[in-house]
Amino acid sequence: MTQTQNRSNFTPNPFTDKQESILWAKDLVSRDNWRILDCETTGLGNDAEICQITIIDPLGQVLLNTLVNPSTVIPREATAVHGISDDTVFVAPRFDQVFLNVLKAVS
């Protein structure tokens, strides 16, 4: 990367550009316009749905933390990983009911 390139538009290859990757990551986390989003899902496939979502800001403040009631059953294999079952999300909102809160938290 040349000095005139903007790091925000640059994604280094972490396997071949270790030093550039470190500088890129340090630049990103020094900003205040990022969020960490963590989701638990009903599985790993393309049809998996979110069953829990948390979003935090750079200071560690929780912006959103909610269970989500998926439209499908949560398989036992997924429950074994994250501990969330159909009973756990029975009264939780659906994703369409929390979507605006997600947008607000990441904006």
Side-chain angles (χ1 to χ4, degrees):
M1 182 173 78
T2 67
Q3 289 185 333
T4 58
Q5 284 180 303
N6 182 344
R7 278 203 199 300
S8 65
N9 297 326
F10 173 73
T11 305
N13 181 334
F15 298 106
T16 60
D17 259 338
K18 184 175 180 179
Q19 190 59 36
E20 280 299 324
S21 296
I22 291 169
L23 293 173
W24 174 75
K26 283 182 179 181
D27 178 56
L28 290 178
V29 297
S30 70
R31 301 174 190 183
D32 65 355
N33 64 346
W34 55 270
R35 304 291 182 260
I36 294 175
L37 187 147
D38 178 56
C39 292
E40 300 299 343
T41 63
T42 59
L44 299 175
N46 291 337
D47 59 344
E49 294 184 38
I50 293 172
C51 58
Q52 187 272 334
I53 186 168
T54 300
I55 302 171
I56 64 170
D57 70 11
L59 300 175
Q61 179 181 348
V62 177
L63 304 175
L64 179 68
N65 183 21
T66 185
L67 291 167
V68 178
N69 191 346
S71 64
T72 61
V73 217
I74 301 174
R76 281 186 280 156
E77 297 82 8
T79 299
V81 172
H82 51 55
I84 302 169
S85 68
D86 290 326
D87 291 338
T88 311
V89 298
F90 182 72
V91 295
R94 295 180 320 271
F95 187 76
D96 64 330
Q97 295 172 306
V98 299
F99 181 69
L100 290 178
N101 293 330
V102 171
L103 287 180
K104 180 180 174 186
V106 298
S107 63

